[in-house]
Amino acid sequence: VQLQASGGGLVQAGGSLRLSCAASGSILRISDMGWYRQAPGKQRELVAIIGSGGRINLNEDVKGRFTISRDNAKNTVILQMNSLKPEDTAVYYCHTEVFGAPTGWGRYWGQGTLVTVSS
């Protein structure tokens, strides 16, 4: 299973970015899909996660600004980030839990995409 993320970049405070992540490979079922981030000198933290049934869990710091959605037909998860703040600057990692063949359940990470918000 591979995860391909895209959409990071440099934006001014108050701007928007859209991150996309597509899972590919021998996938039989996908459970949770989501995004984590890691800022310099800090631990990786959950940003947003969406379950296969649409249940969403958002980091309190991004509520009202970020939305997460998924396209199950395309095995894709989208993170729409609005009203970005300098403190959102981090490397964003796509994450998913996949039941694949012949490996069974596994957790997978994307390569990380850098989001930089200037003040």
Side-chain angles (χ1 to χ4, degrees):
V1 175
Q2 298 83 38
L3 298 180
Q4 183 64 48
S6 62
L10 173 64
V11 65
Q12 288 187 333
S16 298
L17 282 174
R18 183 175 181 265
L19 304 184
S20 177
C21 178
S24 62
S26 299
I27 297 170
L28 300 178
R29 180 183 172 187
I30 298 180
S31 177
D32 291 345
M33 300 188 81
W35 295 89
Y36 288 71
R37 66 186 180 186
Q38 188 166 17
K42 295 188 177 181
Q43 290 188 333
R44 190 174 297 189
E45 64 175 358
L46 172 70
V47 178
I49 193 166
I50 181 168
S52 57
R55 170 188 51 85
I56 292 173
N57 185 20
L58 283 172
N59 184 313
E60 286 291 330
D61 291 342
V62 307
K63 284 184 177 179
R65 301 188 296 121
F66 292 10
T67 58
I68 187 170
S69 60
R70 62 189 281 173
D71 183 335
N72 291 327
K74 297 181 179 179
N75 294 336
T76 298
V77 61
I78 303 293
L79 183 69
Q80 179 65 43
M81 305 185 293
N82 299 326
S83 301
L84 282 160
K85 303 177 181 180
E87 51 263 45
D88 294 317
T89 295
V91 177
Y92 284 69
Y93 296 91
C94 175
H95 174 265
T96 187
E97 297 181 4
V98 170
F99 187 84
T103 54
W105 282 108
R107 303 181 68 182
Y108 299 89
W109 294 92
Q111 79 276 19
T113 184
L114 178 62
V115 171
T116 304
V117 184
S118 63
S119 57

